[in-house]
Amino acid sequence: MLNQEELIKKVKTYNRFLNPETLSKAYTFALEAHKNQKRDEGEPYIIHPIAVADILSDLKLDSATITTGLLHDTIEDTKETYRTVEKEFGKEVADLVDGVTKISQLEGKAATNTRVENLRKLILATSKDIRVLLVKLADRLHNMRTLKFVPDEQKRLRKAKETMEIYAPLADRMGMNRIRDELEDLSFSYLNPNPRKL
């Protein structure tokens, strides 16, 4: 897990306009917001938003997007609100975090009453800013990398299927071949765990 200084140093290698105070503040804010939460593997929840920010920094994205990566689950999974995020980090970041939250809420509905192509279109339509999709893809990539820790097999299969049908094609549409390939490989390992050798 990257600490604050490592993340800031990494972003500084490609973004000389970075405001390190904002990134540091977002890191601390996320740490505090998620302090009592755990991941399925028993690790502190904060490892997830930090991993998402790390993936986004690998893509050399702007600091608002990296900040969103750190904060992307705060509105959905903690007591923090859109207003708090806006007050602390500005409207741009609050809107991005809110956009990621809305996509997560769409996922739940998709399982019940929406076909895949409709959901893909809906996700594209609700994402006024491409950076929302980039954060969501980084979020899904880290969740797929740690999917083995989810105890419920049906949930693992549902996430893998959703990733194969929705997120890998979205990554493809955005020209993100490396992320698409990894999402497909990870999904396939759950959907077809014992492939027959030809």
Side-chain angles (χ1 to χ4, degrees):
M1 178 172 96
L2 287 179
N3 66 33
Q4 270 173 304
E5 291 73 32
E6 290 165 336
L7 180 61
I8 288 166
K9 194 173 168 188
K10 187 175 177 188
V11 178
K12 271 186 174 169
T13 61
Y14 67 86
N15 181 357
R16 59 195 177 95
F17 301 109
L18 174 72
N19 177 349
E21 287 77 29
T22 303
L23 213 51
S24 184
K25 183 179 171 186
Y27 193 106
T28 306
F29 186 92
L31 201 57
E32 182 60 27
H34 294 294
K35 72 178 176 199
N36 297 321
Q37 296 174 318
K38 294 256 190 262
R39 299 271 292 165
D40 284 321
E41 64 268 36
E43 295 284 337
Y45 192 88
I46 191 64
I47 66 161
H48 172 64
I50 292 168
V52 170
D54 190 24
I55 292 166
L56 295 167
S57 65
D58 286 341
L59 297 169
K60 297 185 171 19
L61 293 169
D62 66 302
S63 48
T65 309
I66 311 275
T67 300
T68 302
L70 288 168
L71 302 174
H72 78 274
D73 277 334
T74 53
I75 294 176
E76 185 181 9
D77 292 339
T78 76
K79 63 179 178 33
E80 301 303 342
T81 63
Y82 174 91
R83 283 208 194 300
T84 319
V85 174
E86 183 183 28
K87 184 168 155 274
E88 296 294 325
F89 301 97
K91 183 169 170 35
E92 179 186 19
V93 168
D95 285 348
L96 291 171
V97 174
D98 191 49
V100 177
T101 303
K102 285 190 170 115
I103 291 177
S104 298
Q105 290 164 346
L106 285 175
E107 284 171 0
K109 294 182 179 126
T112 52
N113 60 11
T114 315
R115 288 185 42 245
V116 172
E117 188 52 37
N118 288 345
L119 179 63
R120 226 180 287 142
K121 285 178 184 159
L122 202 55
I123 288 171
L124 286 167
T126 49
S127 306
K128 298 183 205 87
D129 190 320
I130 191 89
R131 294 173 297 175
V132 168
L133 292 177
L134 295 170
V135 174
K136 190 62 203 175
L137 284 170
D139 170 47
R140 180 50 64 115
L141 181 57
H142 183 251
N143 280 332
M144 287 303 294
R145 286 174 178 171
T146 57
L147 191 62
K148 64 179 178 268
F149 297 112
V150 173
D152 180 347
E153 186 188 2
Q154 288 310 310
K155 188 175 179 186
R156 287 196 305 267
L157 290 172
R158 190 174 71 247
K159 288 283 179 199
K161 189 169 188 280
E162 190 178 78
T163 300
M164 188 68 99
E165 292 177 344
I166 294 162
Y167 292 102
L170 275 176
D172 183 58
R173 203 173 282 189
M174 293 166 73
M176 301 170 76
N177 299 345
R178 190 182 58 78
I179 287 181
R180 175 204 63 205
D181 291 349
E182 190 177 348
L183 287 173
E184 285 178 349
D185 290 347
L186 289 164
S187 299
F188 194 73
S189 70
Y190 290 96
L191 298 171
N192 194 6
N194 302 306
R196 282 200 314 254
K197 296 206 167 36
L198 297 174

